[in-house]
Amino acid sequence: MAAANILVVEDEDALATLLHYNLEKEGYRVGLAGDGEEALIQIDEQAPDLVVLDWMLPKVSGIEVCRRLRAAQATRNLPIIMLTARGEEADRVRGLDTGADDYLTKPFAMSELSARVRAVLRRIRPGLAEDSVQRGDLVMDRVAHKVSRAGRDIHLGPTEYRLLDHLMQHPGRVFSREQLLDAVWGSDVYVEVRTVDVHIGRLRKAITGPGEKDLIRTVRSAGYALELG
Ligand code: CA
């Protein structure tokens, strides 16, 4: 299963950047929209798995975005976490039936947002948000965002992490470079196919310690698979 796609709708640049950075570090694919209108356009083009939606936005407010998403058949069940300012807005979100799945009052800790995101994803796609996955001697702890092999900590960049996450969801299955591009980078991003080889190379180097078996099998002219046998 591919990494979850999260759309962050936030007009404060600093916060948007922070959210983008942190969610990407957690292994999600993250899109950004700076106002409500842009958010609706992006969601119409490709619905994400979850929306983190600021309440106060230019053009179309967060609450209006939420109402429109709930009114449309295609996005009726799209998970939404609403961000509100302290005080009045938070009370209104609580009091109103906004249709949001959850809400957070600013300022909030990134760990708090991560926990809410995981909880919402776990509800809608249980396999996607498993806290921890183990395959052979490889363990991926999605809460701590850590990977280890035979008890040894492994440090991965965000792309390598998403690649491994994807491969660990389907051990033994062979993925073509194109399939990996779609799953890990997203089908709307233009990346050269060769880029996959570069990141597979980095991942392979990172997870293979001295004397350890190479777990990534290169299938000539087909692609890659995670081998655990
Ligand atoms: Ca705002």
Side-chain angles (χ1 to χ4, degrees):
M1 199 181 295
N5 246 310
I6 298 178
L7 178 65
V8 172
V9 192
E10 171 59 70
D11 59 315
E12 291 164 49
D13 284 343
L15 182 56
T17 304
L18 191 67
L19 290 168
H20 185 275
Y21 175 79
N22 279 280
L23 290 170
E24 205 173 65
K25 203 154 62 76
E26 302 255 326
Y28 302 111
R29 288 213 306 263
V30 186
L32 287 175
D35 63 64
E37 196 176 276
E38 176 61 28
L40 288 167
I41 291 168
Q42 285 197 32
I43 292 166
D44 187 48
E45 281 170 0
Q46 195 187 12
D49 296 301
L50 184 149
V51 183
V52 175
L53 182 62
D54 188 29
W55 169 283
M56 295 292 279
L57 290 168
K59 296 185 185 171
V60 181
S61 74
I63 190 71
E64 182 58 24
V65 170
C66 196
R67 280 203 193 101
R68 290 194 203 172
L69 292 176
R70 287 293 173 257
Q73 185 65 37
T75 52
R76 182 156 296 159
N77 298 311
L78 181 59
I80 299 169
I81 296 177
M82 191 80 94
L83 305 180
T84 73
R86 189 182 287 282
E88 206 179 322
E89 286 177 21
D91 292 339
R92 283 173 67 199
V93 172
R94 244 191 314 251
L96 277 168
D97 180 17
T98 59
D101 294 82
D102 205 344
Y103 76 95
L104 271 173
T105 307
K106 293 179 189 176
F108 51 83
M110 280 302 144
S111 57
E112 183 59 28
L113 177 69
S114 302
R116 305 288 183 94
V117 164
R118 272 199 309 278
V120 170
L121 289 175
R122 196 181 292 125
R123 277 205 298 275
I124 55 149
R125 292 168 70 178
L128 188 71
E130 270 179 283
D131 284 345
S132 160
V133 191
Q134 177 153 16
R135 305 276 182 254
D137 57 1
L138 269 181
V139 180
M140 176 172 275
D141 178 340
R142 290 198 176 114
V143 178
H145 199 75
K146 281 184 176 163
V147 176
S148 64
R149 181 171 183 188
R152 169 176 51 87
D153 285 343
I154 292 168
H155 301 281
L156 297 175
T159 305
E160 285 72 41
Y161 183 92
R162 289 200 298 269
L163 258 177
L164 182 62
D165 195 0
H166 187 67
L167 293 171
M168 283 180 80
Q169 298 293 333
H170 315 272
R173 191 165 135 193
V174 179
F175 290 98
S176 69
R177 291 167 178 81
E178 288 78 10
Q179 284 170 330
L180 290 173
L181 274 180
D182 276 1
V184 175
W185 280 262
S187 51
D188 52 340
V189 181
Y190 181 74
V191 183
E192 286 206 42
V193 170
R194 238 204 62 65
T195 306
V196 175
D197 300 335
V198 173
H199 288 278
I200 284 281
R202 284 186 199 155
L203 176 60
R204 178 177 267 149
K205 198 173 163 203
I207 65 172
T208 315
E212 280 178 341
K213 186 190 171 204
D214 182 359
L215 299 178
I216 297 176
R217 183 161 64 103
T218 304
V219 184
R220 191 188 284 265
S221 76
Y224 298 101
L226 187 70
E227 289 298 316
L228 298 166

